[in-house]
Amino acid sequence: MYANLKRPPRTVTDWLADAVRASAIVLVLVSLFTLPFTDFAVLSMSLPAVMLSRMIGLRSGLDLITCVTVFVAAGSNVLELYRAWTGWDLIVHLVCTGVLAAVALVLLDDAGVVAPTGRGRTPIVVAAIAGLALSAVWEMIEWFGYRFITDAIFVTYDDTIGDMMAGGVGALLVGVVASRFRLTRADRAPLRARLAKRVLRERSRRVLPGGHSPSASRVLR
C-alpha cells in the first residue's frame, strides 16, 4: 500500500485525484477550527476513503470519482443539501456506495478472498453484498447520531430503506463493471505480493532439526 501511496502522479487524472485528496485534507483541518465538531467529524470520515483509493492502486479515473464522490457525500451533509434537494440523498447513496464497493472488491482481491476483478461473475455477487452491508452500517451510524448526538439527523423508516436500496443498486452496477474490467492500475503494487513475501519469511524462520523447513521436509519424504 505504501508503494502505491508514494507513487508520483503520471497523468492529468492522477493529478486531479491528488488535488481533490489534498483539498479534502486541508478542508477537514480548517473545519476543525471553523465548524461545529459534528460537522468536522462528518467531513473527517471521508479521509480514510480518499486515501485508501490511492493506497490500493485504483485506476486513475475510478480514484478521482471515489475522491470526489466521498467528499461530496460528506459535504452535502454539512451543507444540508440532503434536506434542500429532493432525491439528492438517493443519488449520493447510489454512487458513493458503488465506489466504496469497488474499494472493498480490491481489498478482498488483495487478501485472496475473491478472484481478481475483470473476470467471472463473482464480483457482481460480492459487490452487491458489500454494498448492502456498507449501507446497513451507515444507517446504523445515522441512527446512533440521531439517538445520542443530535436530533437534526433525518432518520425515518422510508429514508433508511430507500438509502439501502439505492446503495445496493449502485454496488450491483459496480459489480457488473468489475466482472468485465479491472478496477486497478496496471502498475500498482498489490497487497497480496507483500503478504506472500511475509508468509515466505515466516516459513523460512521455522526451520526443523537438521536444517530443513517444514515444506522441504515434506518434499524429502
Side-chain angles (χ1 to χ4, degrees):
M1 285 188 174
Y2 179 67
N4 293 319
L5 186 61
K6 68 179 182 179
R7 172 186 45 79
R10 296 187 174 92
T11 66
V12 174
T13 311
D14 287 343
W15 282 103
L16 288 175
D18 283 347
V20 174
R21 220 178 328 267
S23 300
I25 295 172
V26 172
L27 288 173
V28 168
L29 292 176
V30 171
S31 70
L32 176 61
F33 303 100
T34 59
L35 296 177
F37 181 78
T38 52
D39 291 343
F40 161 74
V42 169
L43 291 175
S44 63
M45 291 176 64
S46 66
L47 293 185
V50 301
M51 297 304 299
L52 193 59
S53 65
R54 196 186 211 285
M55 294 170 68
I56 63 176
L58 290 182
R59 294 179 105 166
S60 56
L62 182 56
D63 181 20
L64 176 59
I65 293 173
T66 300
C67 293
V68 172
T69 300
V70 171
F71 203 70
V72 165
S76 297
N77 198 318
V78 174
L79 298 175
E80 298 186 350
L81 297 183
Y82 297 126
R83 291 177 180 269
W85 297 349
T86 303
W88 178 243
D89 61 330
L90 295 179
I91 296 174
V92 172
H93 273 278
L94 186 146
V95 180
C96 190
T97 307
V99 297
L100 292 179
V103 171
L105 279 175
V106 175
L107 289 174
L108 292 172
D109 171 15
D110 278 346
V113 177
V114 298
T117 57
R119 66 180 71 169
R121 300 176 182 175
T122 301
I124 301 176
V125 178
V126 176
I129 294 174
L132 290 173
L134 290 169
S135 297
V137 170
W138 177 252
E139 295 304 321
M140 292 177 194
I141 294 173
E142 281 194 342
W143 171 85
F144 182 87
Y146 169 78
R147 182 68 176 81
F148 298 104
I149 300 176
T150 174
D151 58 3
I153 299 176
F154 184 69
V155 177
T156 66
Y157 181 78
D158 289 342
D159 177 71
T160 297
I161 297 302
D163 290 348
M164 291 182 65
M165 288 180 61
V169 171
L172 180 63
L173 293 175
V174 167
V176 173
V177 174
S179 69
R180 302 178 63 87
F181 305 99
R182 291 280 298 182
L183 300 180
T184 52
R185 307 170 59 97
D187 59 348
R188 72 186 287 259
L191 177 63
R192 184 183 299 179
R194 190 173 68 180
L195 291 175
K197 290 179 181 178
R198 184 182 302 173
V199 171
L200 290 175
R201 283 198 302 267
E202 291 177 353
R203 287 181 177 176
S204 65
R205 293 191 187 118
R206 290 180 291 181
V207 179
L208 296 177
H212 301 304
S213 66
S215 56
S217 64
R218 286 194 293 268
V219 174
L220 291 174
R221 290 173 189 169

